[in-house]
Amino acid sequence: MKDFELSKSQIKVSENILDWFKLPKIQYTTLGGYAGTGKTTLLGYLSNFLHKENKKLKIAFCSYTGKATRVLNRKLRNTKSLQNTDFIGTIHRLIYRAIVDDKDNIIGWEKIPEEEFKYDLIVVDEASMVTEDIWKDLLSFGRPILAVGDHGQLPPVNSSFNLMSQPEQTLEDIYRQELNNPIIKVSEIARKYGNIPFEEFSRSVKKLNKIESDTQDTIHDIFDSFNDETMVLCGYNKTRVNLNKAIRSLHFDTPNPQVGDRVICLKNNRIMEIFNGMTGTILDISREGTEELKYYESEISLDFEDIPFWGKISIEQFNSIDLVEKNLEDINYFDFGYALTVHKAQGSQARRVVVFEERFPKMDDDTFRRWLYTAVTRAEEELYIIA
């Protein structure tokens, strides 16, 4: 394919995947690739090659989050690797459908019947985020699945299931187009050594000492100009709450959530189609409820989702370090979303990222390397590491 210039390692991996697809001994195969190794380029090549060989082939490209899906969509369209018959969207949209009552209210979700599934190959991006139950649902359709992810990132929280723990195929050589990318350079240092030096890697990629006055000025300027293209990351939930307060103090004069506030969902609610880690902006909010139960009625524009969320959200959850779940079916759990823990940011990227480097006492060296690597690879153009 003349449009794709593949490295030797990419050619070898592509041949292995094509061999698997032609005669799959097992239903799925896994591809792990570090940042800058050309995973999406390889997917584009495979898509074009397979479509050229079989004009009727239909591929479903999917990911766990809307953010990850939009990133993949943009990259595949840039290489003209999508056909009109292909699907690209969230796993949820691909394999589930709404259950409604006689008033058209959504009361649940169910997996679509196998006979309604019309795709010949499933490609799952950011596969390390996929939970075991969703993976079993994907397998149930009997189609070949290519699961793709970054095997250098953190494993899922509180789960022994991880599709990227030992990928069958790996890309580990940096793609030559990325060799001079300072973010890729920093990610390599994080992944290999877990210790990024205080250094200016470029004008917009730096590690800064938090006690220096220039660093404090830089932080203030970023917080003051915070927008949807900014991501602030840390390790501890306590730090996250304090950073949220610091950023909001420059934009709002009240501790209560307001129209325009950035928020993050902290608990899945499949009926409402909201999931842990989704971020968005408040469009409308009012305090409602009884003396026994007070809550916010809120409309939230969720990033990369077509339909806003509208429903009840917990008052107590805002600025809380822990989840204040009370087993109430119609209450949802959001918090301010200016600063996120690195675990919550998996699958997301932003043009400008600030990382407050924090290491938990119980973290071993490998876990910290993965934490740091995951953090810095959220950045697309600007990266500031504060330690």
Side-chain angles (χ1 to χ4, degrees):
M1 305 290 287
K2 293 182 179 179
D3 294 338
F4 294 89
E5 185 181 345
L6 302 184
S7 66
K8 289 182 179 179
S9 59
Q10 287 174 315
I11 291 171
K12 178 62 177 174
V13 168
S14 67
E15 290 173 347
N16 291 341
I17 292 173
L18 289 170
D19 288 343
W20 159 80
F21 182 66
K22 290 173 184 176
L23 290 169
K25 294 180 181 178
I26 59 171
Q27 186 181 347
Y28 68 93
T29 189
T30 50
L31 167 63
Y34 297 139
T37 57
K39 293 190 297 295
T40 309
T41 298
L42 182 60
L43 286 183
Y45 169 82
L46 291 170
S47 174
N48 279 2
F49 185 92
L50 291 170
H51 280 119
K52 188 176 181 180
E53 282 211 325
N54 181 356
K55 301 294 185 184
K56 296 182 178 180
L57 183 75
K58 296 179 180 180
I59 303 177
F61 294 95
C62 58
S63 189
Y64 189 72
T65 67
K67 281 188 177 182
T69 299
R70 291 296 174 94
V71 172
L72 180 63
N73 189 355
R74 184 184 74 240
K75 291 179 178 179
L76 289 175
R77 291 193 182 282
N78 285 344
T79 55
K80 299 179 181 178
S81 305
L82 284 174
Q83 300 297 315
N84 292 334
T85 53
D86 291 338
F87 171 91
I88 185 155
T90 61
I91 298 171
H92 192 74
R93 295 287 187 190
L94 176 65
I95 64 172
Y96 300 109
R97 67 182 179 192
I99 303 170
V100 297
D101 60 19
D102 54 5
K103 296 181 180 178
D104 281 339
N105 296 313
I106 296 176
I107 57 175
W109 292 84
E110 63 182 359
K111 185 164 63 74
I112 65 172
E114 184 180 335
E115 59 269 19
E116 291 185 16
F117 193 83
K118 58 185 178 180
Y119 300 98
D120 308 296
L121 170 65
I122 302 171
V123 178
V124 182
D125 194 31
E126 295 286 354
S128 61
M129 300 180 68
V130 176
T131 59
E132 188 172 10
D133 59 334
I134 289 178
W135 179 243
K136 288 178 179 178
D137 283 347
L138 284 166
L139 289 172
S140 71
F141 291 99
R143 305 302 198 276
I145 303 175
L146 171 59
V148 184
D150 187 332
H151 55 302
Q153 291 187 23
L154 286 165
V157 184
N158 300 326
S159 174
S160 58
F161 180 79
N162 181 8
L163 281 169
M164 286 295 110
S165 59
Q166 292 182 311
E168 294 177 55
Q169 309 293 332
T170 58
L171 292 172
E172 300 189 351
D173 297 328
I174 302 302
Y175 202 36
R176 69 176 185 82
Q177 286 90 332
E178 296 283 4
L179 288 174
N180 296 321
N181 184 328
I183 293 174
I184 297 299
K185 181 179 179 180
V186 171
S187 75
E188 275 199 287
I189 295 171
R191 177 170 53 79
K192 291 178 179 178
Y193 308 108
N195 183 21
I196 300 169
F198 289 99
E199 185 177 326
E200 184 172 306
F201 298 90
S202 74
R203 292 182 62 184
S204 57
V205 178
K206 312 172 184 180
K207 181 169 178 178
L208 305 171
N209 191 322
K210 63 184 176 183
I211 66 172
E212 294 181 359
S213 59
D214 287 350
T215 300
Q216 294 302 314
D217 291 341
T218 298
I219 294 171
H220 181 275
D221 290 344
I222 293 173
F223 284 7
D224 192 43
S225 61
F226 189 98
N227 58 28
D228 293 354
E229 296 183 323
T230 305
M231 185 181 292
V232 178
L233 303 176
C234 60
Y236 290 101
N237 270 315
K238 183 178 180 180
T239 306
R240 174 186 62 82
V241 169
N242 289 334
L243 287 171
N244 276 328
K245 290 178 179 178
I247 297 168
R248 289 193 76 255
S249 69
L250 299 173
H251 301 270
F252 297 94
D253 58 3
T254 172
N256 302 318
Q258 303 292 305
V259 170
D261 255 318
R262 294 288 295 166
V263 292
I264 181 171
C265 176
L266 299 180
K267 187 186 177 187
N268 296 342
N269 184 338
R270 185 171 287 181
I271 293 176
M272 302 293 290
E273 284 196 85
I274 57 171
F275 299 95
N276 190 356
M278 276 185 166
T279 51
T281 302
I282 295 177
L283 300 177
D284 190 24
I285 189 165
S286 60
R287 194 177 181 113
E288 305 287 349
T290 63
E291 282 300 318
E292 294 76 22
L293 176 63
K294 291 186 173 68
Y295 55 85
Y296 293 120
E297 192 79 44
S298 182
E299 183 179 15
I300 299 170
S301 174
L302 296 167
D303 297 339
F304 310 107
E305 299 295 326
D306 297 327
I307 302 173
F309 161 86
W310 176 269
K312 300 174 183 178
I313 60 177
S314 168
I315 289 176
E316 298 170 87
Q317 187 61 64
F318 286 91
N319 287 322
S320 175
I321 294 174
D322 300 311
L323 188 66
V324 293
E325 186 178 0
K326 292 188 174 180
N327 295 319
L328 299 169
E329 290 185 5
D330 57 347
I331 298 293
N332 299 281
Y333 298 87
F334 285 80
D335 197 358
F336 295 117
Y338 300 92
L340 313 174
T341 61
V342 172
H343 273 100
K344 293 287 188 188
Q346 285 187 267
S348 300
Q349 286 186 302
R351 187 184 65 81
R352 178 174 60 177
V353 171
V354 183
V355 178
F356 287 84
E357 190 177 301
E358 295 183 314
R359 180 166 180 166
F360 300 99
K362 294 182 179 179
M363 267 189 178
D364 58 28
D365 289 344
D366 179 64
T367 303
F368 182 68
R369 282 196 298 269
R370 289 177 180 275
W371 183 92
L372 192 57
Y373 172 78
T374 303
V376 301
T377 52
R378 301 309 91 204
E380 295 177 334
E381 296 178 21
E382 299 180 36
L383 173 63
Y384 305 93
I385 305 161
I386 314 297

